[in-house]
Amino acid sequence: MFDQMLLSIGLIIASLIAGVLVGLVRKQFSDREKKLISMAMTGMVFILIFLMGVKTGLNKSVMEGLGIFGLKALLITLAAIAGSILFAVLFDKLVLRSGSK
């Protein structure tokens, strides 16, 4: 199990490094290429979220405990979203806009 986790982490890091190297070598992408990359990333995120939902739905212990943990999970999720939005707004107002003056 630990070996599989290390392999997964290694693949993630290698993928990131490969992407950085492509960016460094290529230096510039056309607007069309940037749009295609953005669309591919968005599509892959949706696929990832879908597959996480499938895996969660297949886990009997998670589904049985959903009533117990569901409300807590919902509250934690809403708090995380609210915190992210608050941070983004504050960052925009305090850092990004103050630097443009």
Side-chain angles (χ1 to χ4, degrees):
M1 181 70 177
F2 185 71
D3 291 338
Q4 184 180 5
M5 185 175 67
L6 284 177
L7 178 64
S8 295
I9 292 170
L11 288 173
I12 291 169
I13 292 171
S15 297
L16 178 64
I17 290 171
V20 169
L21 291 175
V22 167
L24 287 172
V25 169
R26 186 70 192 272
K27 302 223 191 254
Q28 277 191 319
F29 290 91
S30 69
D31 288 340
R32 182 177 179 271
E33 291 170 326
K34 288 177 186 177
K35 185 176 180 179
L36 287 173
I37 291 169
S38 179
M39 288 171 51
M41 287 173 55
T42 301
M44 289 180 201
V45 168
F46 285 130
I47 291 169
L48 175 65
I49 291 170
F50 172 76
L51 293 174
M52 289 171 57
V54 169
K55 187 172 182 179
T56 301
L58 291 173
N59 189 330
K60 290 190 187 309
S61 62
V62 169
M63 296 311 293
E64 289 171 357
L66 195 58
I68 298 169
F69 302 113
L71 181 60
K72 288 181 183 177
L74 177 64
L75 293 175
I76 290 170
T77 302
L78 292 175
I81 292 170
S84 296
I85 291 171
L86 177 66
F87 178 78
V89 168
L90 289 174
F91 185 79
D92 181 57
K93 288 183 187 253
L94 298 176
V95 177
L96 297 179
R97 302 237 173 130
S98 67
S100 64
K101 290 181 180 179

